[in-house]
Amino acid sequence: MSEYAIVAPEDFDQSAFRLIGKDWMLVTAKNNEGKINTMTASWGGFGVMWGKDVALSVIRPQRYTKEFIDNSDTFSLSFYDEAFKKDLTYLGSVSGRTEDKISKTRLTPTDANGIPYFEEAKIVLICKKLFCQPMDPEGFIGDAKALDAQWYADKDYHTLYVAEIEQILVKQD
């Protein structure tokens, strides 16, 4: 971990809008057998809840990574330079259920205190789950009810995860 600096959440000055919405992130967890799986995500956020620095992530029920997240107390969110966009695209389009998709990328698995991420990440958030709940279509309000039809035609509602950010690692140049 020597090539990463540990950054306090209040000193982390990266835009969640850019990191998550434009650059994308990998959500990575390990199961009880020690196998890791990851998926690309472009929805989520950072903030403060219950007096804790948190990350928000949402995962659809059919995603294989959801099984790993549900069966672990921890996971990582990691962010990459543009040079890895093709790898992230691949990891978001293929299931680890049917192939060893990580081995088909340029990413090298590693971990921080047993929580998996990839050596090539420029930023890593080590997260501990605090809360999870399936999203309920009844929660859409007013004009936002149109989002249900737009994003959930198959009624495969995301599960929302709120996780405490235990550590932020930022790669040093």
Side-chain angles (χ1 to χ4, degrees):
M1 235 171 40
S2 61
E3 61 187 86
Y4 287 92
I6 297 172
V7 176
E10 61 272 14
D11 296 328
F12 185 66
D13 62 358
Q14 301 292 312
S15 165
F17 300 102
R18 181 182 44 76
L19 286 174
I20 298 170
K22 301 290 183 205
D23 296 348
W24 307 338
M25 64 182 168
L26 290 180
V27 181
T28 309
K30 181 169 42 174
N31 69 12
N32 295 336
E33 292 80 44
K35 180 179 177 184
I36 68 169
N37 198 58
T38 192
M39 62 174 262
T40 304
S42 61
W43 290 7
F46 312 137
V48 178
M49 193 157 196
W50 307 305
K52 298 179 181 292
D53 300 308
V54 299
L56 308 174
S57 186
V58 292
I59 302 177
R60 289 189 193 266
Q62 64 267 39
R63 295 301 298 256
Y64 186 48
T65 303
K66 185 177 184 311
E67 296 175 25
F68 288 70
I69 300 291
D70 287 344
N71 291 301
S72 179
D73 291 336
T74 57
F75 62 91
S76 69
L77 302 176
S78 54
F79 304 88
Y80 300 82
D81 289 328
E82 182 68 27
F84 291 96
K85 195 72 158 193
K86 185 181 252 184
D87 295 291
L88 272 64
T89 299
Y90 179 76
L91 291 168
S93 63
V94 175
S95 175
R97 186 181 281 121
T98 57
E99 66 178 65
D100 180 5
K101 66 182 186 176
I102 294 169
S103 71
K104 296 180 180 178
T105 69
R106 296 174 295 147
L107 300 179
T108 310
T110 190
D111 70 86
N113 301 318
I115 302 164
Y117 68 95
F118 300 96
E119 289 179 7
E120 294 78 8
K122 65 181 180 180
I123 299 168
V124 180
L125 278 62
I126 302 298
C127 300
K128 180 181 177 185
K129 288 188 317 187
L130 298 173
F131 177 86
C132 74
Q133 181 173 354
M135 294 179 71
D136 183 341
E138 296 300 317
F140 288 110
I141 299 166
D143 293 345
K145 289 184 185 295
L147 295 172
D148 186 13
Q150 179 183 358
W151 294 102
Y152 298 105
D154 295 332
K155 303 304 178 198
D156 56 343
Y157 297 97
H158 288 90
T159 296
L160 167 67
Y161 297 88
V162 179
E164 181 175 9
I165 300 170
E166 293 191 317
Q167 199 170 51
I168 299 175
L169 308 174
V170 177
K171 190 169 270 189
Q172 299 301 286
D173 295 328

